[in-house]
Amino acid sequence: MIRTILAALLIIFFFIITIPVLMILWVIGKINMNLHDTISYGIMRGAFVFILFVCGAKVKVEGLENVPKDRPVLYVGNHRSYFDIIVLYRYAKTPTGFIAKKEFKSVPVLGHWISCLHGIFLDRKDIKAGLQTILEAIDNVKNKGISYTIFPEGTRNHNKEMLPFKEGSLKIATKSGCPIVPVAMTHMDDLLENHMPFIKGANVSIRFGEPIFTDQLAKEEQKFLGAKVRDIIQNMMDDME
């Protein structure tokens, strides 16, 4: 109960005090977008570190050496919890955006922060809009050097077996030329989802796999890229349990 209250108060406090920060960042972005991204990412990463501390998350991280430091990547992970993106952002090495449900865009302050971090809002019911979302992410990777995080299962899944991947989102990698970094996360739902609405401390794990350079894959592997990446993440998850 105490962790839940503290986390809620922390989030509310963060949103309130960063309203003027967002305005300043908007001005900085008009002058120097690289500086804007560095500051935005630094603030959010620091906030996530503090949130994880307050929530009692003890994170075991493996494979950080596998993440390229000199280029954007596409992080592809399994999806168990609202905490997935928080933990992944804690360890991502470069400015990183993610694809969020369009409903988040209308949430005060939160929607602005998602946009500030080059997040893109997806309307899952509109195929044409979904394609435009992918194209925007591809452009951001190629021309702005922004990494992206996606969860191709499409929804949170608490089973040991992953859901089939939605292949379209992987085009962010194949069309931009950035490598795919498979990410496996376990026990994330022990923080919240397994006992909602209360947050409890938990030991969680995240593992970054070796990067996949899609242009180096055989045609058959490229054809079934989603299944290949899914199998890699599933094998990492099984090994971590």
Side-chain angles (χ1 to χ4, degrees), residues 14-167:
F14 175 81
F15 282 168
I16 292 174
I17 66 171
T18 58
I19 291 175
V21 174
L22 284 168
M23 297 173 65
I24 294 171
L25 286 171
W26 181 83
V27 174
I28 293 175
K30 296 295 183 180
I31 302 171
N32 187 330
M33 184 54 70
N34 288 332
L35 179 60
H36 165 279
D37 292 344
T38 300
I39 296 174
S40 301
Y41 182 67
I43 291 173
M44 190 54 67
R45 189 181 187 197
F48 284 162
V49 170
F50 193 51
I51 288 174
L52 291 172
F53 171 76
V54 170
C55 293
K58 297 180 180 179
V59 184
K60 178 182 179 182
V61 58
E62 301 175 283
L64 269 178
E65 68 279 0
N66 290 324
V67 182
K69 301 177 182 179
D70 58 348
R71 59 190 302 179
V73 303
L74 179 66
Y75 296 102
V76 180
N78 62 303
H79 197 17
R80 300 181 73 98
S81 170
Y82 290 117
F83 278 88
D84 293 343
I85 196 69
I86 295 176
V87 172
L88 197 152
Y89 257 65
R90 164 67 178 84
Y91 295 101
K93 296 184 177 181
T94 58
T96 304
F98 61 97
I99 297 176
K101 295 186 295 184
K102 71 168 186 176
E103 289 77 10
F104 285 126
K105 188 174 184 178
S106 59
V107 178
V109 185
L110 175 61
H112 288 87
W113 266 113
I114 293 174
S115 296
C116 193
L117 296 167
H118 297 282
I120 303 174
F121 300 97
L122 173 66
D123 185 349
R124 296 178 179 178
K125 298 179 181 179
D126 188 331
I127 296 176
K128 185 176 181 180
L131 175 59
Q132 187 58 44
T133 297
I134 299 301
L135 292 175
E136 184 177 348
I138 292 170
D139 181 69
N140 286 344
V141 173
K142 293 175 66 174
N143 299 316
K144 297 180 181 178
I146 303 297
S147 296
Y148 273 89
T149 296
I150 60 171
F151 302 111
E153 289 177 282
T155 187
R156 284 173 293 148
N157 172 32
H158 304 291
N159 299 318
K160 289 186 177 181
E161 188 74 18
M162 296 178 67
L163 299 173
F165 275 11
K166 299 181 184 303
E167 298 273 354

Side-chain angles (χ1 to χ4, degrees), residues 175-192:
K175 298 298 184 181
S176 70
C178 76
I180 293 172
V181 175
V183 182
M185 292 174 278
T186 58
H187 303 293
M188 295 293 178
D189 40 8
D190 287 341
L191 289 165
L192 175 63

